[in-house]
Amino acid sequence: MPLGDGLQGLVTLTAVVIGSLLAKTIFRRCNQPTVLGPIVFGLLLGAIVASCNSQSIRIVLPGTSKFLVESAGTAGLLLLMFAVGIELRTHRQTKDGRPRHWQLGAAAMFPIALCAAAAWPFAHQLTGMKGNTFSAWAFVGVALGVTAVPVLVLVIQDLRVTSSPVARAAIRIAVITDGLAWAMVTLLLVLTAKHGAMSAAELGIGVALLVVVILIAPRIISRYRAFEQNSPRAITMFACALTGAASTQILGLHPAVGAIIAGYFFPATLTNDRAKHVLETVIDLLIPAFFVAASLSVPLHTLRDQLSRQGLLCVLSLTIAAFASKLLAGYFFGRSRGYTRRASSQLGALLNCRGVTEIAIASVGYQAQLIGAYAFAMLCGLAIFTTAVTAPLFRAVEPRAHTRSIEGISVASG
């Protein structure tokens, strides 16, 4: 007797979760960030399923099951973006000798500008269905310019340099960069969105929900001790993430933007280590489904396009720009702060950690049709590659990088 679509969907989700956990174990043993495990597994699984013929896909993943996987993936993405918002707020006051605003601004803007310039000659190849070449190369520049704060924190912990000035500087720059990147993504979405179809009622509801997430809900939640318990707190986090996502969705923006806003304004008193652990556990269960669904939406012929002469040139150019922009930004920031050349190079290596943030931004752009399937596949590949080599690059610069402190930083950086 065949399984029903609903039960088959649950079985599929369970298999995805188990596979992602095994992938995390493999990556841990390979001395790689464990967060890459679910990403690689989900994207590969989605690509394998997408390579099957239509009849096989209907058998493996019928309509209801596919909807369930996509819904779970969407929930995982929203919670992940909610966690990103929390991290942006948590680390926004990280101190590193009070660097000047122009130093932070230059370190954040330079990678975005350089990557956008590198993407400009390939704008037609990167463009989505909307056919806006400007938004395509600008969006790719923003996506390649990010540094994933949550993943960077994990990499720094694995390297055992949490208390070092280089690590603190990397987190501070990453917070500024990611905040700027999401602001620029929102601006591009606003510029390319069709606002004429929005009614006054929709605008009012969207703004009202946004006000609730930013002003009303945080005050109510912080006043009642009942929300400090694990179960109510977890439910409240999910409700805030959904409310923020709904607000920006109604306003014509991607739901991920609203989830980040909700996480940023969520009461800090309720985001202790235990709360973050619960949130991370739920994300680990749901986010692999997002990568499977994202990979299923990419036509496989785009991968063949990357093997063409023009495609390889595009990938090579953007790969060089991605690495060079972060290495140079970190190096010059470090030198301006009085770091040694070695410590400055380490800072640039850490900033290359893009992880899930780049993939999330790429997904937003692909769903909004700002970029095409080719650009989405390329950004996912570069996110995995640059994150995988972050720790080896760091260790290559300093063989003793696994120690708890980094020597060679002048007193001015204290």
Side-chain angles (χ1 to χ4, degrees):
M1 181 177 179
L3 298 175
D5 288 352
L7 182 57
Q8 186 169 344
L10 293 175
V11 172
T12 303
L13 280 177
T14 303
V16 170
V17 171
I18 294 175
S20 65
L21 292 176
L22 293 176
K24 290 180 68 174
T25 302
I26 294 174
F27 273 76
R28 183 183 297 110
R29 293 185 177 181
C30 294
N31 203 22
Q32 288 292 334
T34 56
V35 70
L36 288 178
I39 297 175
V40 175
F41 175 79
L43 293 176
L44 285 179
L45 180 61
I48 292 173
V49 174
S51 64
C52 301
N53 56 52
S54 58
Q55 184 177 359
S56 300
I57 294 177
R58 285 194 296 268
I59 296 175
V60 175
L61 202 64
T64 305
S65 300
K66 184 178 180 181
F67 175 77
L68 184 59
V69 171
E70 291 175 346
S71 299
T74 300
L77 175 65
L78 296 181
L79 288 177
L80 176 63
M81 294 299 99
F82 183 83
V84 169
I86 293 176
E87 292 292 339
L88 291 178
R89 188 204 59 235
T90 302
H91 296 289
R92 75 182 188 275
Q93 295 179 342
T94 303
K95 295 182 179 180
D96 180 40
R98 297 184 182 276
R100 297 177 181 177
H101 293 297
W102 71 266
Q103 293 173 324
L104 290 172
M109 280 300 303
F110 178 74
I112 295 176
L114 183 59
C115 291
W120 176 71
F122 309 98
H124 292 284
Q125 196 170 353
L126 303 171
T127 303
M129 294 181 63
K130 289 187 176 180
N132 190 332
T133 55
F134 168 77
S135 62
W137 63 261
F139 187 91
V140 169
V142 172
L144 288 176
V146 301
T147 298
V149 176
V151 182
L152 178 61
V153 172
L154 296 177
V155 171
I156 288 174
Q157 291 174 352
D158 291 341
L159 292 170
R160 299 179 182 178
V161 293
T162 306
S163 60
S164 71
V166 168
R168 294 198 300 269
I171 292 176
R172 188 177 182 88
I173 295 173
V175 169
I176 300 297
T177 303
D178 285 9
L180 178 64
W182 280 108
M184 296 178 71
V185 167
T186 303
L187 178 61
L188 287 173
L189 292 174
V190 170
L191 293 176
T192 57
K194 297 180 180 179
H195 301 286
M198 184 183 302
S199 64
E202 291 174 335
L203 179 61
I205 294 174
V207 172
L209 291 177
L210 205 56
V211 171
V212 169
V213 168
I214 296 175
L215 298 177
I216 300 176
R219 295 183 180 182
I220 295 176
I221 295 171
S222 59
R223 288 182 179 180
Y224 293 94
R225 299 182 63 86
F227 292 106
E228 296 179 3
Q229 301 177 7
N230 288 335
S231 296
R233 178 165 44 193
I235 296 174
T236 304
M237 286 182 172
F238 189 61
C240 287
L242 287 180
T243 304
S247 66
T248 52
Q249 176 77 55
I250 294 173
L251 293 174
L253 302 176
H254 197 277
V257 177
I260 293 177
I261 295 174
Y264 188 86
F265 288 97
F266 193 78
T269 55
L270 299 182
T271 54
N272 54 25
D273 292 338
R274 179 178 296 181
K276 291 181 180 180
H277 177 71
V278 173
L279 183 61
E280 290 171 359
T281 301
V282 178
I283 292 174
D284 287 342
L285 293 175
L286 297 177
I287 197 62
F290 164 74
F291 297 118
V292 173
S295 183
L296 281 171
S297 65
V298 178
L300 292 182
H301 67 80
T302 59
L303 301 180
R304 292 194 296 268
D305 293 342
Q306 290 187 346
L307 298 179
S308 65
R309 182 177 179 180
Q310 186 71 7
L312 291 175
L313 180 60
C314 177
V315 172
L316 179 62
S317 300
L318 293 181
T319 301
I320 294 174
F323 276 101
S325 62
K326 291 295 186 179
L327 291 173
L328 291 175
Y331 182 83
F332 286 113
F333 178 89
R335 296 299 289 167
S336 68
R337 297 296 303 151
Y339 295 7
T340 63
R341 294 179 179 177
R342 178 170 292 176
S344 300
S345 299
Q346 288 177 326
L347 178 57
L350 288 178
L351 294 180
N352 264 294
C353 180
R354 290 172 173 85
V356 293
T357 301
E358 180 178 335
I359 296 179
I361 290 179
S363 300
V364 171
Y366 183 53
Q367 293 175 7
Q369 300 178 0
L370 294 179
I371 58 174
Y374 169 83
F376 174 74
M378 180 190 60
L379 289 174
C380 289
L382 284 177
I384 295 172
F385 179 61
T386 55
T387 304
V389 302
T390 296
L393 270 179
F394 186 91
R395 296 189 182 101
V397 175
E398 173 57 74
R400 293 173 295 172
H402 62 277
T403 58
R404 293 185 178 274
S405 61
I406 297 177
E407 300 176 356
I409 300 179
S410 66
V411 179
S413 66

